[in-house]
Amino acid sequence: MTTARRKGLNRLRLAAVAVLAGATWAAHALTIADLQPSAVAELKRAGLITHEVPVPAFRWTFANKRPMRRERLMQEVFSAGPEGLSSVQREIHYSDGKVEQSEAISARGLLRVSASDQSINASVDGLKLPLKAGEHFSITVVRDNTPIVERCTVGEKTEAKTLFADLPGQMFNIECLGDATYAGLKVKAKSQVVYLEALGVFFNAVDVLDTPLGRYENANRITEFQLVTP
């Protein structure tokens, strides 16, 4: 089988899985109305909810490589989110054939919130949408009861297709840096994030933790993308 034909079949297989996932879960898709009022209030304070930047319906697949683990495929189907909140149906495909399914509300790809969450799992300060080059904001994530704060700087715009050929519009490159004491060790955190302007969502490309025990990297790369028409 030729490489071109194999790639074509692979695209077809991934698209079919995403379509079936959407058909299976559409009857009970989560909406903003399913979220706890306290979680919605936190998302608004974080600057993630605004009519100025809607999120269109789309699907994508990305490969995720974690430290000391095999690569896995993440397939996500986003519903349209006029205010920035989208129902997201996710399938995780592991190298051993195992598949996990989940559904949550995504706040612009930056945070995931379930219907039972009384609060969001991170705090965002100083974020303003629409995004502009040169702006700064911070993200605080709590891991094992330890807050890790990263300060983010918004870079210049580039074409989104430089990240993946099928992505529309332009994107901002964002660099986030921070440090903390994690599990009793001093660590430095660095993240490479992009904000996809036409989609109104963030995508985490690389997260790195530098520790006395070594460097640990979590990396994502988009392999499939498609806008979903009503």
Side-chain angles (χ1 to χ4, degrees), residues 146 148 178-189 209-216:
T146 300
I148 298 178
D179 51 66
T181 300
Y182 182 68
L185 301 172
K186 293 288 186 181
V187 303
K188 290 187 177 297
L209 277 181
D210 280 313
T211 79
L213 301 178
R215 170 172 285 198
Y216 300 91

Side-chain angles (χ1 to χ4, degrees), residues 25-38:
W25 291 332
H28 60 279
L30 291 175
T31 68
I32 187 173
D34 297 311
L35 297 182
Q36 300 295 321
S38 55

Side-chain angles (χ1 to χ4, degrees), residues 186-203:
K186 293 288 186 181
V187 303
K188 290 187 177 297
K190 181 177 181 179
S191 298
Q192 296 291 334
V193 182
V194 299
Y195 175 73
L196 299 163
E197 196 173 37
L199 303 180
V201 301
F202 295 84
F203 180 75

Side-chain angles (χ1 to χ4, degrees), residues 150-206:
E150 286 193 273
R151 291 162 290 280
C152 303
T153 301
V154 181
E156 297 297 326
K157 282 185 187 182
T158 57
E159 295 296 318
K161 65 182 179 181
T162 61
L163 180 67
F164 183 70
D166 294 339
L167 288 172
Q170 295 182 306
M171 68 182 187
F172 287 98
N173 293 289
I174 304 169
E175 183 175 72
C176 301
L177 301 171
D179 51 66
T181 300
Y182 182 68
L185 301 172
K186 293 288 186 181
V187 303
K188 290 187 177 297
K190 181 177 181 179
S191 298
Q192 296 291 334
V193 182
V194 299
Y195 175 73
L196 299 163
E197 196 173 37
L199 303 180
V201 301
F202 295 84
F203 180 75
N204 240 42
V206 182

Side-chain angles (χ1 to χ4, degrees), residues 3 6 18-19 45 69 116 186 204 223:
T3 300
R6 184 158 53 254
V19 170
R45 284 195 295 271
R69 299 185 186 183
S116 61
K186 293 288 186 181
N204 240 42
T223 61

Side-chain angles (χ1 to χ4, degrees), residues 36-66:
Q36 300 295 321
S38 55
V40 174
E42 288 186 18
L43 291 170
K44 287 181 177 179
R45 284 195 295 271
L48 293 167
I49 298 178
T50 172
H51 281 288
E52 287 189 69
V53 186
V55 175
F58 69 91
R59 59 170 61 95
W60 62 16
T61 300
F62 57 94
N64 169 247
K65 182 65 176 69
R66 298 168 294 170

Side-chain angles (χ1 to χ4, degrees), residues 34-40 112-121:
D34 297 311
L35 297 182
Q36 300 295 321
S38 55
V40 174
R112 285 170 61 87
V113 187
S114 70
S116 61
D117 289 338
Q118 296 290 337
S119 62
I120 59 180
N121 58 5

